[in-house]
Amino acid sequence: QISAAIASGKTKDAAKFIKNLGVRDALIVKNELDMQHFLLRNLNNCYVIDINELNAYLVAVYSAVIIETSALQSIVKEAKMADITDIK
């Protein structure tokens, strides 16, 4: 969980979290924007979005996509409601 990783509320800890992932840049998808949004948006190599802003272009542009567990569950739920049967 992103929230647990940067519970200190410090931008330098958010930067360390991203650095430890070993990625050049990251798109971070959250179910709801919260305090971590403000910490991560200060980093040049991160772009934080609400789940409703997610699109194919953004996914293609970033070298890594980090999706919060609750956001992923929302995506799967919405896909199932749209009757997409290939998602498990």
Side-chain angles (χ1 to χ4, degrees):
Q1 278 282 11
I2 297 170
S3 301
I6 49 177
S8 68
K10 296 183 179 180
T11 302
K12 72 176 186 173
D13 291 334
K16 184 178 177 182
F17 170 73
I18 297 299
K19 183 179 179 183
N20 287 340
L21 293 176
V23 297
R24 179 177 37 120
D25 54 17
L27 172 67
I28 300 173
V29 183
K30 297 181 68 62
N31 209 28
E32 291 182 2
L33 299 181
D34 54 14
M35 285 305 294
Q36 275 75 36
H37 166 255
F38 295 108
L39 297 174
L40 293 164
R41 76 174 185 175
N42 291 332
L43 304 177
N44 291 333
N45 61 341
C46 288
Y47 186 60
V48 184
I49 62 168
D50 181 85
I51 190 172
N52 296 319
E53 299 175 63
L54 184 62
N55 62 58
Y57 174 77
L58 287 175
V59 171
V61 169
Y62 287 88
S63 64
V65 178
I66 302 168
I67 303 176
E68 195 174 50
T69 304
S70 60
L72 181 60
Q73 290 169 343
S74 294
I75 293 168
V76 170
K77 181 180 176 183
E78 188 173 320
K80 286 180 179 179
M81 288 175 48
D83 198 28
I84 298 174
T85 57
D86 292 339
I87 297 179
K88 296 178 183 177

